[in-house]
Amino acid sequence: MCSIIGYKGQLNAAPLLVDSLKQMEYRGYDSVGIAIINDGKVIVRKSVGNVSNVTEKFNLGIMPGHTGIGHTRWATHGRVTEENAHPHYGCTNSIAIVHNGVIENHRELRNELIGLGHRFKSDTDSEVIAHLLESYYAKKDIKKTTIETCRRLKGAYAFVAAFEDGRICGSRCDQPLIIGSLDGGYFISSDVLGFLKHTDKAIFLHNRDIAIIESNALQLFDFEGNAVNRETTQVAWEGSSLDKGKYAFHTLKEIHEQPAVVEKAGIKKSGKIKEFCDILGDTRTVYITASGTSYHCALIAKYLLSNLAKIHCETIVSSEFPYTLESIDNSSVLLAISQSGETADVLEAARVAKQIGSKILSIVNIPTSSLARMSDSFLEIECGPEVGVAATKSFTAQLSLIYAIVDRLCNYVLGFQANKIFLAEASREVLDQETKIQAIAGKLRQARDIYLLGRSIHYPIALEGALKIKELSYIHAEGIVAGELKHGPLALIDKNTYVIIINPDDRTHCDNIISAREIKTRGATIIGISNKPNEAYDIFLKLPFIGESILYPIIEVLPLQILAYYLALIKNIDPDYPRNLAKSVTVK
Ligand code: AGP
């Protein structure tokens, strides 16, 4: 996923664009660039590196001009090089473009344009947009130019282009593009975070919308050239500011925001929860789909809905959905869980289910996201912007909301609502052990392999902990059903192995101790995460006792997040921006 931003207004564009790209850098950060229009010229500055590096390299912030576009890249087509960084321009440097998504027919278009004499400088798919615009721009009619260009593009994309005469255009197809309107100017961005500091008035473009910004006017029309009218929405990110505050990294700040997230789960929009629960409760089978961390939440959702609410559930990881011959039909419900609401695999699964006639429910953090907009009903996790690429507070927010939903479906016998404040307090107690967990990270710094064991509702937490360790510290980690050890994984265990056992004192506890003893005889180092110590553990991480043991997942994930965070720091890795990853995987 990349960040695209454009600005045209009364202020100097460069410093605004640089700051916007900083706010959105979590979307992709292997290269950065901006193009400023000044005195009829398109001036492009771009390089490999993050926003700070490139800003410093070119002194981006002081480039003069009131119109410009900017981009941070997460490479999909073409290596991470300066030539492949955005903005791209055509042969005459009269138009510069920035792009998010994939142009599926870029090879065909590139060959056609080369046949017309165009010369390409990069090996990206995006550059074809610049040359196409240029090839249609001959008559200087920006509306016609943009329509002709958009009609040729295939794929999931959003782009913004700046013309030498100071006009900006943009269009979207299955990738977000949002106008931020303020006195004396407009932003056009892939994410509200790109302009939220300056305005909360947002216009969410629909698929196949085209926007043209000239002087102080905004025109919206469709691919047929018909004017379209889109409402202005007031957006707000409650409860969270965008800076790191007293924390070194967004990831640590967001880990510490989790007690507050638990406290407020399921409080607001109770009318919407009723509608959501009515649909859930009134169906034969619920198919739950998600990716990554959200999929681990889906596994817990299945456990709770099936065992407590007695609703038959199937979980399908979204990337597998197209290959799954599930019996999903028009009497089913698809519950999609996605923090960003823009994950390509999740959107694709929802589209397929919708075409079959299933009802679509979703749990999202961004109420204006593509997934929310295509759902029959959606609930927001309301945890504020999550900037760190590794999902932490959004996982806890998803989990808490699911507990709140199941609690409601079971007439509150689950005890989540009744115990929320206590759970938040228990979370704070766990987070207070940060220094101790940091020391444990020091002991694991040389680990080659870390295995995480769990049973029942704790197994998805073992998977989630393993994912956090992998994505933040690049150490191989694997979540395993503890009862499966003897069926193979035990062969991996030796004196160099580290095993984390998620073992609160519930009905899985004794079986886990047996597993711990099996592992101990093979010389592995065992870290026990439990409310109850045991001599089998070499290292013990105490959890507060929680009467309702089914609620432990909310707090037992916390030490694993902290551990992964400090493993990243020990290995001198930036936890906010792990290599090769992006916050939302908007391409398949
Ligand atoms: C989790 O830490 C990762 N960032 C990733 O697995 C993420 O959970 C996954 O891409 C799903 O994102 P979504 O919730 O926005 O759909």
Side-chain angles (χ1 to χ4, degrees):
M1 181 173 75
C2 306
S3 309
I4 58 178
I5 185 82
Y7 170 79
K8 181 170 183 61
Q10 293 165 357
L11 304 173
N12 245 352
L16 296 175
L17 296 174
V18 168
D19 186 54
S20 296
L21 291 174
K22 198 72 197 127
Q23 299 303 323
M24 299 192 288
E25 193 164 25
Y26 69 95
R27 294 168 61 95
Y29 34 86
D30 53 45
S31 50
V32 175
I34 69 170
I36 299 290
I37 312 299
N38 186 32
D39 198 15
K41 287 192 180 53
V42 181
I43 300 147
V44 175
R45 296 285 180 271
K46 61 182 185 176
S47 176
V48 170
N50 64 28
V51 176
S52 307
N53 308 141
V54 179
T55 301
E56 195 178 329
K57 181 174 176 179
F58 295 122
N59 237 335
L60 294 183
I62 60 165
M63 292 170 71
H66 294 177
T67 303
I69 58 178
H71 187 273
T72 65
R73 185 174 182 235
W74 180 55
T76 52
H77 285 70
R79 290 167 302 112
V80 179
T81 62
E82 183 158 316
E83 295 72 20
N84 288 342
H86 298 218
H88 290 287
Y89 42 86
C91 304
T92 62
N93 292 19
S94 58
I95 302 169
I97 68 103
V98 289
H99 162 237
N100 177 39
V102 175
I103 305 298
E104 287 170 5
N105 60 333
H106 71 96
R107 287 198 193 296
E108 166 204 329
L109 292 171
R110 178 187 277 250
N111 294 336
E112 179 190 317
L113 288 156
I114 288 170
L116 293 172
H118 286 260
R119 295 175 314 288
F120 283 75
K121 295 169 273 304
S122 79
D123 47 18
T124 65
D125 56 332
S126 312
E127 191 182 346
V128 294
I129 301 171
H131 291 277
L132 264 183
L133 284 167
E134 195 176 56
S135 65
Y136 290 120
Y137 188 49
K139 303 170 192 59
K140 307 293 178 199
D141 177 341
I142 188 171
K143 177 176 177 180
K144 194 170 179 322
T145 300
T146 313
I147 289 174
E148 295 295 326
T149 298
C150 291
R151 282 178 171 166
R152 301 295 311 276
L153 300 176
K154 293 194 181 79
Y157 65 82
F159 74 84
V160 176
F163 291 72
E164 60 191 346
D165 62 4
R167 292 183 291 180
I168 281 184
C169 78
S171 184
R172 64 156 291 187
C173 233
D174 292 336
Q175 289 290 353
L177 195 60
I178 308 143
I179 303 277
S181 71
L182 60 163
D183 295 343
Y186 292 96
F187 283 92
I188 180 166
S189 175
S190 44
D191 190 322
V192 288
L193 291 181
F195 54 75
L196 197 52
K197 273 184 167 180
H198 309 283
T199 179
D200 60 1
K201 291 177 183 50
I203 300 167
F204 290 85
L205 298 186
H206 294 192
N207 277 342
R208 298 169 64 84
D209 279 1
I210 291 171
I212 289 183
I213 304 171
E214 43 189 325
S215 61
N216 198 9
L218 169 68
Q219 294 173 58
L220 300 180
F221 46 88
D222 61 20
F223 281 19
E224 285 64 48
N226 306 314
V228 293
N229 189 17
R230 300 294 178 221
E231 63 177 15
T232 299
T233 312
Q234 189 152 18
V235 292
W237 276 114
E238 297 148 13
S240 252
S241 62
L242 297 178
D243 60 47
K244 292 180 270 201
K246 65 180 181 179
Y247 297 98
F249 292 97
H250 287 288
T251 303
L252 187 61
K253 172 175 176 264
E254 288 154 4
I255 288 173
H256 281 280
E257 286 177 349
Q258 293 178 107
V261 160
V262 174
E263 266 167 357
K264 69 178 208 179
I267 287 181
K268 296 170 74 176
K269 302 186 176 75
S270 54
K272 286 202 77 174
I273 286 197
K274 180 183 182 318
E275 174 197 64
F276 195 93
C277 290
D278 289 348
I279 295 173
L280 259 187
D282 186 26
T283 182
R284 182 169 50 82
T285 303
V286 179
Y287 294 87
I288 312 174
T289 193
S291 301
T293 287
S294 299
Y295 179 68
H296 301 148
C297 191
L299 292 172
I300 294 180
K302 173 185 177 178
Y303 181 93
L304 296 170
L305 287 167
S306 305
N307 290 289
L308 295 174
K310 304 303 176 200
I311 295 173
H312 178 232
C313 294
E314 294 297 333
T315 48
I316 309 168
V317 68
S318 299
S319 56
E320 283 296 298
F321 202 91
Y323 321 113
T324 305
L325 301 175
E326 277 301 340
S327 50
I328 191 165
D329 59 26
N330 57 10
S331 68
S332 316
V333 164
L334 180 79
L335 170 56
I337 303 174
S338 173
Q339 186 281 131
S340 63
E342 299 298 347
T343 299
D345 291 327
V346 179
L347 294 178
E348 185 58 25
R351 270 190 216 105
V352 167
K354 204 170 180 74
Q355 277 159 6
I356 293 171
S358 304
K359 274 205 183 325
I360 308 298
L361 296 180
S362 60
I363 289 176
V364 298
N365 192 24
I366 300 171
T368 51
S369 62
S370 304
L371 178 60
R373 299 159 83 83
M374 68 191 295
S375 298
D376 294 284
S377 178
F378 70 87
L379 291 179
E380 298 169 58
I381 60 175
E382 294 176 293
C383 69
E386 184 175 67
V387 177
V389 166
T392 49
K393 66 172 181 175
S394 64
F395 174 72
T396 301
Q398 289 170 345
L399 208 47
S400 301
L401 182 55
I402 283 161
Y403 274 110
I405 290 165
V406 175
D407 208 11
R408 181 191 177 92
L409 286 168
C410 304
N411 296 317
Y412 303 101
V413 295
L414 175 59
F416 174 72
Q417 286 298 356
N419 285 293
K420 257 187 333 188
I421 305 304
F422 168 75
L423 280 169
E425 242 346 275
S427 302
R428 288 187 185 91
E429 255 185 74
V430 175
L431 294 177
D432 286 345
Q433 298 184 67
E434 180 176 337
T435 310
K436 178 177 179 182
I437 300 167
Q438 181 178 5
I440 294 171
K443 295 187 169 75
L444 270 62
R445 63 183 303 148
Q446 301 304 336
R448 263 184 311 102
D449 302 293
I450 300 174
Y451 298 100
L452 294 92
L453 302 189
R455 292 171 194 256
S456 179
I457 198 170
H458 312 295
Y459 169 55
I461 300 298
L463 294 174
E464 175 54 16
L467 177 58
K468 289 286 99 48
I469 291 170
K470 279 183 276 207
E471 64 177 331
L472 287 175
S473 72
Y474 313 159
I475 296 173
H476 168 252
E478 187 179 341
I480 299 174
V481 176
E484 281 298 287
L485 267 177
K486 289 194 287 293
H487 299 285
L490 203 53
L492 294 168
I493 308 295
D494 63 22
K495 62 181 178 20
N496 302 315
T497 313
Y498 293 90
V499 178
I500 299 172
I501 301 186
I502 300 157
N503 193 22
D505 184 17
D506 65 5
R507 58 203 181 104
T508 67
H509 185 77
C510 297
D511 293 339
N512 281 334
I513 294 301
I514 293 167
S515 303
R517 291 195 178 115
E518 283 168 355
I519 290 163
K520 201 158 187 64
T521 54
R522 275 116 184 129
T525 303
I526 299 176
I527 298 160
I529 297 181
S530 177
N531 57 298
K532 203 172 164 187
N534 189 285
E535 86 289 343
Y537 307 142
D538 300 295
I539 300 168
F540 174 55
L541 247 176
K542 180 164 177 41
L543 294 177
F545 172 71
I546 291 183
E548 287 297 337
S549 61
I550 202 164
L551 298 173
Y552 268 113
I554 287 190
I555 65 168
E556 64 197 20
V557 70
L558 302 174
L560 300 170
Q561 295 169 343
I562 295 267
L563 178 67
Y565 170 80
Y566 278 104
L567 283 171
L569 294 196
I570 284 170
K571 297 185 69 181
N572 203 19
I573 294 168
D574 180 336
D576 286 345
Y577 306 124
R579 67 185 178 196
N580 307 338
L581 302 179
K583 183 60 185 171
S584 172
V585 182
T586 59
V587 291
K588 287 173 77 66

